Amino acid sequence: MKNLKFLIFITLLVSFQLAKSEDNKAAIASAHPLATYAGFEILSQGGNAFDAAVAVSAALSVVEPAGSGLGGGGFWLLHRASDGFQTMIDGREKAPLSANKNMFLDQQGNVIKGLSKDGALSAGIPGLPAALVHLSDKYGKLPLEITLQPAINYAEQGFSIGERHRKLLKFRLAILQQNKSTARIFLSNNNVPKEKALLKQLDLANTLKQIAKDGKKGFYSGKVADLLINSVQKAGGIWTQKDLDQYKIIEREPVKGQYQGVKITSAALPSSGGVVLIEALNILSTYPLKTLDGISRKHLISEAMRRAYHDRAYYLGDTDFVDVPVQRLINPDYAAGLRMTIRQDKATPSSFFAGNSQEKKGGHDTTHFSIIDKEGNRVSATLSVNFPFGSGFVAEGTGVLLNDEMDDFVSKTGEMNGYGLVGGLANSIEPEKRMLSSMSPTFIEDETRIGVLGTPGGSRIISMVLLAILDFAEGNGPESWVELPRYHHQYIPDLIQYEKGALTNDEIEGLQSLGHKVKEKKYRYGNMQGVLYNKKFKTFSVASDPRGEGRALIR
Ligand code: GLY
């Protein structure tokens, strides 16, 4: 007995000391090892999580140009440990001042294929540079000269491109070949460079240096701005200096909700992420999902996704331009009404709501990183240039690859965008409006654990984060969230899309017998980056999606 007590004492002592050993540490998970290292380098120089976020965002602009960049935008969800303050930095792109709702239609009113996705006209006014400056000035401890330095080094010295980079170049090759400045930087003899080829981006390094020196003015006015505007206008785009002058960061209150004891904090509009997530989780909140068989569980989760994505299509847009009934959509009583429309024995056809059905490719664009520093500050950030390598257009002399985020607007009511998403007037194009996003940087917290997570993946971002939250609620950590085989329903197309292994043969048959259409994806999608802190043991766990080439570390 005495021995047993001694053993318990020793075990507790050892686990306490193990726990203590991570007390002074930080955790970062990002989509590229060099971006993760950049974040740690800045922490080691005395920066906080927000400084590290500047460094990681800028580094990703250089080393993962397919996903995000200075020519794009994003959402940074922040938690400040000293006072518990939480906010979302909205660095989403805006429609140019002379944009209009018919700009991607021909004279007959039909959508001109590719115009909202390829080339200079498809680019919104970038928000990422302004967001980096805002994040640094308002929340950081170090100057931009320090936090942008790792990215500048990567751009100047170059880095070896990975397989994912090459695959995405191939995917967008035809567009990248059309623009000389793009081809000069990213292609070799107008083709995909060899494995591990060195990519140097000297113009981009200079643009980063201008931002480090002059802050927002370094990008939105002066030499860089002149080059951006000349280049865009020459290529048929509509940017003016006034567009750049008027770009502003907005801080927004994150969307919050609860699911079976888990507190969720996620992106506010103009990202649909928070609203759709909370609405779907509210619908699911009374089902005993953990104890249900696979068919019932996946049926109910798909039905919740269907309803929440339906409301996305019809209600959601930029709240600076349209009234959105956010409080109603995230109210548990509203969800209770929707839950009553779900039959346990039958799928509800999406045609009962409206729309048609078709499917589009996507899921490899955008990027995400998650950080918790030693003080407990947190950043969950999802950044994008929309499609892989954005519009494929580099503004000559800047090294800046422009986004094609205009495709996230509704070019024509009822017509699908590149992700097969439909929408209505709430998300139609208007000058200076921010296009609706699905990016869902998220915090999750229960009594003992804090999670930071997110992923790229276009319209599937929200369902990926939803599945990860359900997994967290069942007690699992980041290694499990990032590996989960994924399935998805987005109302239109009316089918459950799934990765190999996400549905068993029995589940496929069972779901079909309930009336669901199911379709296996040819590829695995998403690139989730997760960090978890255990408040009780003061330990971290981290994971980077095995589908990508990222790195998650604790140091
Ligand atoms: N461009 C992808 C998104 O914002 O949802």
Side-chain angles (χ1 to χ4, degrees):
M1 188 64 191
K2 224 173 166 187
N3 277 350
L4 185 66
K5 273 190 184 159
F6 181 69
L7 200 66
I8 292 172
F9 173 73
I10 291 293
T11 311
L12 283 174
L13 191 70
V14 168
S15 56
F16 176 70
Q17 287 197 333
L18 276 180
K20 219 176 143 211
S21 72
E22 290 196 344
D23 214 11
N24 232 357
K25 292 197 173 180
I28 303 179
S30 92
H32 199 289
L34 294 177
T36 300
Y37 303 152
F40 279 112
E41 188 179 323
I42 292 309
L43 291 178
S44 74
Q45 293 187 48
N48 59 18
F50 312 121
D51 293 308
V54 173
V56 176
S57 306
L60 286 168
S61 293
V62 177
V63 299
E64 202 205 18
S68 69
L70 295 183
F75 300 107
W76 291 254
L77 192 63
L78 313 184
H79 171 92
R80 188 167 57 199
S82 58
D83 57 0
F85 174 72
Q86 295 187 327
T87 188
M88 183 189 86
I89 295 183
D90 170 359
R92 182 69 162 163
E93 298 90 334
K94 283 178 19 168
L97 282 156
S98 48
N100 69 76
K101 71 175 173 30
N102 296 327
M103 65 188 275
F104 298 120
L105 304 183
D106 64 16
Q107 285 183 337
Q108 285 70 47
N110 298 317
V111 174
I112 303 170
K113 207 166 172 278
L115 204 57
S116 62
K117 271 196 320 198
D118 308 325
L121 195 63
S122 66
I125 306 302
L128 195 126
L132 297 187
V133 177
H134 182 90
L135 194 50
S136 174
D137 289 353
K138 193 158 174 201
Y139 297 100
K141 297 204 289 192
L142 300 178
L144 285 166
E145 281 93 342
I146 293 180
T147 51
L148 296 184
Q149 196 55 50
I152 294 169
N153 293 343
Y154 296 150
E156 275 181 343
Q157 290 157 22
F159 67 98
S160 287
I161 59 169
E163 224 9 75
R164 185 178 169 88
H165 179 100
R166 292 183 72 242
K167 200 173 95 189
L168 296 175
L169 282 176
K170 205 164 157 203
F171 177 63
R172 294 287 275 162
L173 189 60
I175 303 306
L176 301 175
Q177 286 169 334
Q178 278 172 26
N179 178 253
K180 275 197 191 130
S181 338
T182 313
R184 200 163 44 239
I185 298 169
F186 293 108
L187 303 181
S188 163
N189 295 324
N190 228 21
N191 224 315
V192 177
K194 284 207 282 288
E195 275 171 46
K196 301 201 173 123
L198 192 72
L199 174 59
K200 285 191 187 180
Q201 299 170 81
L202 300 182
D203 287 341
L204 186 59
N206 285 333
T207 301
L208 283 161
K209 283 181 191 168
Q210 287 295 322
I211 299 170
K213 185 162 126 326
D214 297 330
K216 199 176 162 211
K217 286 201 180 109
F219 184 88
Y220 295 87
S221 42
K223 190 171 152 235
V224 172
D226 289 347
L227 288 167
L228 287 169
I229 290 163
N230 286 342
S231 227
V232 165
Q233 289 186 354
K234 252 203 248 162
I238 52 174
W239 292 13
T240 62
Q241 182 58 49
K242 200 166 173 197
D243 281 308
L244 298 183
D245 290 341
Q246 290 190 191
Y247 187 85
K248 281 200 176 57
I249 289 302
I250 300 177
E251 286 207 20
R252 302 193 190 264
E253 204 180 323
V255 175
K256 299 193 179 197
Q258 291 259 2
Y259 172 80
Q260 298 189 353
V262 178
K263 280 196 260 173
I264 296 114
T265 307
S266 192
L269 288 163
S271 175
S272 60
V275 172
V276 176
L277 266 179
I278 305 294
E279 182 176 332
L281 287 165
N282 283 342
I283 295 172
L284 293 170
S285 63
T286 59
Y287 297 122
L289 289 181
K290 197 172 176 178
T291 59
L292 292 179
D293 63 88
I295 299 166
S296 308
R297 177 185 166 99
K298 287 167 184 173
H299 164 63
L300 293 172
I301 293 173
S302 301
E303 289 298 323
M305 289 178 186
R306 184 200 305 274
R307 282 156 179 76
Y309 272 91
H310 168 264
D311 281 353
R312 180 195 193 280
Y314 283 90
Y315 292 110
L316 303 191
D318 181 353
T319 44
D320 293 342
F321 286 74
V322 287
D323 290 329
V324 180
V326 172
Q327 289 315 315
R328 169 157 69 89
L329 297 174
I330 62 170
N331 191 308
D333 293 341
Y334 175 73
L338 290 176
R339 197 180 309 119
M340 286 175 72
T341 68
I342 298 178
R343 285 182 58 160
Q344 309 248 4
D345 62 340
K346 215 171 183 183
T348 315
S350 287
S351 58
F352 281 18
F353 299 84
N356 54 7
S357 132
Q358 205 177 312
E359 195 186 351
K360 300 281 173 104
K361 281 191 170 170
H364 298 298
D365 61 307
T366 311
T367 193
H368 180 87
F369 65 86
S370 299
I371 303 181
I372 303 182
D373 72 12
K374 65 180 178 358
E375 271 102 36
N377 297 306
R378 297 175 225 158
V379 181
S380 182
T382 313
L383 320 175
S384 186
V385 285
N386 200 23
F387 268 66
F389 294 96
S391 61
F393 183 87
V394 170
E396 182 67 42
T398 65
V400 176
L401 186 55
L402 304 187
N403 70 84
D404 57 352
E405 219 74 67
M406 291 297 284
D407 191 62
D408 273 347
F409 279 120
V410 173
S411 291
K412 184 179 176 182
T413 303
E415 289 274 334
M416 281 172 279
N417 75 352
Y419 295 108
L421 288 166
V422 293
L425 276 180
N427 188 30
S428 66
I429 305 172
E430 289 182 62
E432 293 211 90
K433 193 173 175 182
R434 283 154 146 93
M435 55 295 282
L436 189 62
S437 172
S438 300
M439 292 190 276
S440 312
T442 298
F443 300 143
I444 38 185
E445 186 165 1
D446 64 13
E447 275 185 12
T448 54
R449 301 170 303 155
I450 293 169
V452 179
L453 76 160
T455 179
S459 58
R460 299 187 199 103
I461 290 175
I462 311 173
S463 64
M464 287 186 254
V465 175
L466 174 72
L467 294 177
I469 295 174
L470 295 173
D471 200 43
F472 173 91
E474 290 176 8
N476 297 314
E479 306 81 0
S480 171
W481 317 334
V482 301
E483 275 187 22
L484 283 177
R486 294 164 178 153
Y487 56 97
H488 169 79
H489 200 302
Q490 63 180 47
Y491 151 64
I492 289 173
D494 187 352
L495 51 84
I496 301 173
Q497 309 167 27
Y498 66 97
E499 288 182 327
K500 195 176 174 59
L503 306 181
T504 63
N505 286 343
D506 284 350
E507 286 169 354
I508 292 169
E509 273 176 33
L511 288 166
Q512 284 172 332
S513 74
L514 295 179
H516 288 285
K517 290 187 212 82
V518 298
K519 184 172 179 190
E520 184 181 310
K521 303 298 302 175
K522 289 198 195 81
Y523 53 88
R524 299 178 84 203
Y525 58 87
N527 194 8
M528 187 170 281
Q529 310 298 326
V531 166
L532 182 126
Y533 180 68
N534 189 308
K535 295 184 260 185
K536 201 160 135 205
F537 297 115
K538 297 188 164 58
T539 49
F540 284 109
S541 35
V542 294
S544 182
D545 202 312
R547 296 161 187 79
E549 296 168 356
R551 184 70 49 89
L553 293 172
I554 303 160
R555 275 184 184 165

